[in-house]
Amino acid sequence: MLEELGEAMSHPVRILKWALLGIVLFVCSCSSNAPGNRGTLLKAVDAADETATIQTLRTIVSAQTQAKVIRGSYADFPGLVDGGFLDARFSKATPTTGGYRFSMSSTAAEFSINASPMDSAGGRHFYTDSNDETIHVNPTAGASRSDPTL
């Protein structure tokens, strides 16, 4: 069988077809990653990062709700970690996870959270707060309460 394949591949026309196919595949893969045209794989990664970020926002809101009930006040990220409401990934004032940077403003009575992609070309911006815990989204800039909801 290998001999037959070797004979088939040695034919000049078949070699030319395989060479052309290789060139076409190479050009297509390069053009899909050209600036301004994000490839399919990158879009899939962005979508996965967004899904994880939305779940992370919900987890943070849940942690804030627990903190408010147990301690009587909301907390910042280090406070939520110290209280055992979030894991050590959130021990910094502006933690990063899943390709997103999280920032939070909190007082004893309220909080707001922003999640922005670390790569400016890689995803939407999200916002939620203690008023209604709805997630707002902005495709191009930092999200706020006035942006549309998911």
Side-chain angles (χ1 to χ4, degrees):
M1 174 138 180
L2 288 176
E3 290 175 18
E4 292 173 10
L5 182 59
E7 289 175 21
M9 291 302 293
S10 66
H11 193 278
V13 173
R14 290 195 176 126
I15 291 173
L16 182 59
K17 286 181 183 177
W18 286 107
L20 287 174
L21 177 63
I23 291 169
V24 167
L25 290 173
F26 176 76
V27 169
C28 288
S29 69
C30 289
S31 66
S32 68
N33 291 324
N37 183 14
R38 295 180 57 82
T40 303
L41 179 60
L42 290 176
K43 289 179 184 177
V45 169
D46 291 346
D49 287 348
E50 284 188 4
T51 301
T53 298
I54 291 165
Q55 184 56 49
T56 300
L57 285 171
R58 291 180 176 140
T59 299
I60 296 167
V61 167
S62 176
Q64 285 286 29
T65 302
Q66 292 174 13
K68 179 75 170 175
V69 169
I70 293 171
R71 298 175 10 172
S73 66
Y74 295 117
D76 59 6
F77 283 119
L80 291 171
V81 172
D82 291 345
F85 302 107
L86 290 175
D87 63 54
R89 293 177 298 161
F90 299 97
S91 58
K92 296 181 180 178
T94 56
T96 58
T97 183
Y100 275 78
R101 177 171 289 111
F102 294 83
S103 59
M104 180 168 23
S105 173
S106 66
T107 65
E110 61 185 13
F111 69 86
S112 64
I113 309 164
N114 284 90
S116 297
M118 293 170 57
D119 175 6
S120 60
R124 301 180 294 175
H125 302 255
F126 300 99
Y127 170 89
T128 188
D129 61 33
S130 53
N131 289 325
D132 63 5
E133 300 175 8
T134 302
I135 297 175
H136 300 266
V137 62
N138 186 311
T140 59
S144 69
R145 184 180 303 145
S146 61
D147 286 313
T149 60
L150 282 178

